[in-house]
Amino acid sequence: MKPIYDLFNDIDMDSDQLEEIKLDDIEMKKLKDNVHKKIKNKDKHKKFRNIAASVAVITCIGILGFKPIFAETNFASGIIERLNYSKNPKGLEDFTTVINKTVTDKDISITLESITMDDNLLNIGYKIYSPNKTIKNDTESKIFSGLSVKINGEILRACSGGKMKRLDNNNVELLKTLNIENKKIPKSMDMSISFDELLGVKGKWYFNFKVEKEKIYSKIKNIQINKDIQLSDSKINIEKLSISPVSTTLTYTGTSENSTTFKHFIILDDKGNQIGEQGNNFSDDKGNIQGTHNYDVIYNKGIKKLTIIPSESMDIIGDSKDKAKKLQLLELKNDNLPIELKQTESNKIIVNDVSFSKDKVVINYVCKGSFPVSQSYRLYLYDENKKELEEIWDDNSTYTTQGTFTKTFKLNNSKKYYIGTDDMSDIKFYENDKIEIDLTK
């Protein structure tokens, strides 16, 4: 699947510390389903290979950028706020450096509006104006691939993702997000952001500015957890949870001789609402593992408690026997709504509204159950031959953490379409190891 998932091919790694190896392509469409789906090799006949113990492996899993852009916002603010938040987080201005500079080359103009950063994420908000070249919806990878960041003259190598909102044929707003946890970024720095290629055009678009982080440290809430948990194939230590107006980030370390599952952590607020996940990254160096998970900003300052529930996806390899079972398909049409899709005894998806157009269908649905965000990724559309159809991104897509969701699928020439889900049997929840975080301390 091509669209926005291709943005995560733009992953920088520190080549001085890693030995180069060749890995099979990861099917990002399946991985987008919040690791509740499989990671499969491009060649289906090849099995997932264990990496030699001498090689450090880093995986960036981009839920960053998978989350659709909010169609409507209740505040008028900058690009970062519009593309990344449902409302303006209180105190975000203290984490923001405003640039508002435009550079033009080869008849393409970039306006670098602002950046926001804490100790975990760096967000870059900018706009591209191309008066003589149409910016199409399928150009995300071409736009994001040319961006480079330097701090005090050194290239910042980090897992990254992005979001794009096309304003018209010649204007687009963009958000680039980099995971900077463990990067040891100084409190005061000279930052440069450059582009050497845009929309397939080589050029030079450079921005240089100063960033001061000193004032933000007292406004980041770092909660030390330090809890050991035994999973099926590894022992991990959940180290801490960091909360700021820029990000909510959980970090962990651990050991594993042969990890074949994907670690995941569900966070619930004190009303049982699941906090949506933005993205994560994972490294394995000779069996020593570490990872970070980034979540939506916590807006409600009245939340007094968070609950963390570890889980793991068992179906991380293409030949895994622990696949989720696809359930009975139901025909999708307007005159049989609502459609109820049962996933487990306590979890279900209810389709309330369907809008067909010439080449796509927009499906609005709610998720009832313990973990609505995790459930929401498991809605699938099929044609009359039971072929699974491609999900696409649409400006009308919305995403919330309260159980109401929208998905847009690409249609073919099928006379009938069917909708379905799965039984979530590929996930193991460690509810007995849940962690409760008191935010009042």
Side-chain angles (χ1 to χ4, degrees), residues 82-134:
R82 287 194 294 274
L83 270 63
N84 206 38
Y85 303 106
S86 60
K87 55 185 177 181
N88 204 341
K90 185 177 181 181
L92 184 64
E93 63 276 5
D94 294 328
F95 295 76
T96 302
T97 300
V98 177
I99 298 99
N100 274 337
K101 181 181 177 182
T102 300
V103 175
T104 302
D105 189 24
K106 306 295 177 60
D107 292 326
I108 300 176
S109 297
I110 300 180
T111 299
L112 180 60
E113 186 181 270
S114 64
I115 68 161
T116 63
M117 67 185 304
D118 58 8
D119 285 339
N120 300 299
L121 292 183
L122 166 62
N123 294 313
I124 303 169
Y126 58 104
K127 179 180 178 180
I128 295 176
Y129 172 56
S130 175
N132 301 318
K133 189 177 180 68
T134 299

Side-chain angles (χ1 to χ4, degrees), residues 148-365:
S148 176
V149 179
K150 288 185 178 180
I151 294 178
N152 293 337
E154 295 186 7
I155 295 177
L156 176 61
R157 304 183 186 278
C159 298
S160 63
K163 301 176 187 177
M164 182 182 94
K165 185 169 183 63
R166 186 169 171 267
L167 303 179
D168 54 42
N169 288 337
N170 307 106
N171 288 276
V172 63
E173 292 183 339
L174 302 110
L175 170 68
K176 177 85 168 185
T177 299
L178 295 92
N179 191 314
I180 58 173
E181 201 270 336
N182 288 331
K183 295 299 178 182
K184 298 181 180 179
I185 293 178
K187 296 179 181 179
S188 179
M189 73 201 80
D190 293 316
M191 182 177 291
S192 66
I193 295 176
S194 62
F195 303 79
D196 55 18
E197 183 176 343
L198 282 173
L199 303 173
V201 178
K202 299 285 186 179
K204 294 182 179 180
W205 298 268
Y206 294 151
F207 302 87
N208 297 282
F209 50 95
K210 290 188 175 294
V211 179
E212 300 290 341
K213 290 178 61 183
E214 181 68 39
K215 63 182 180 180
I216 73 172
Y217 286 101
S218 63
K219 299 177 181 180
I220 299 176
K221 191 177 185 69
N222 289 310
I223 302 168
Q224 301 300 320
I225 299 174
N226 191 29
K227 180 171 180 177
D228 293 326
I229 296 175
Q230 182 65 54
L231 303 179
S232 65
D233 60 7
S234 58
K235 182 178 181 180
I236 64 170
N237 177 269
I238 301 179
E239 294 185 334
K240 69 175 181 178
L241 184 70
S242 299
I243 300 173
S244 83
V246 175
S247 69
T248 302
T249 302
L250 182 145
T251 59
Y252 70 93
T253 57
T255 57
S256 176
E257 292 185 2
N258 183 22
S259 180
T260 59
T261 66
F262 185 81
K263 285 68 180 169
H264 186 61
F265 305 91
I266 291 170
I267 299 182
L268 307 175
D269 65 18
D270 49 15
K271 292 182 173 58
N273 297 318
Q274 185 176 351
I275 308 298
E277 189 170 357
Q278 290 270 341
N280 50 73
N281 66 76
F282 169 84
S283 68
D284 187 340
D285 184 5
K286 301 178 183 179
N288 296 308
I289 60 177
Q290 65 178 24
T292 62
H293 288 249
N294 301 108
Y295 299 84
D296 291 344
V297 170
I298 298 175
Y299 299 102
N300 187 353
K301 300 302 180 182
I303 295 176
K304 298 179 179 179
K305 184 182 73 172
L306 295 175
T307 301
I308 301 172
I309 302 175
S311 66
E312 50 187 353
S313 174
M314 313 303 290
D315 186 19
I316 192 170
I317 58 176
D319 295 349
S320 172
K321 297 179 181 179
D322 297 308
K323 294 178 175 65
K325 180 182 178 182
K326 293 293 181 65
L327 302 176
Q328 181 181 2
L329 304 182
L330 299 175
E331 186 175 356
L332 180 66
K333 53 186 180 179
N334 282 305
D335 59 5
N336 65 343
L337 298 178
I339 298 174
E340 184 174 307
L341 303 171
K342 186 176 180 181
Q343 296 171 304
T344 68
E345 288 299 322
S346 58
N347 297 332
K348 61 183 176 181
I349 292 174
I350 302 174
V351 177
N352 291 316
D353 179 70
V354 178
S355 177
F356 284 94
S357 61
K358 181 179 179 181
D359 58 353
K360 67 182 179 181
V361 59
V362 179
I363 303 173
N364 297 303
Y365 59 103

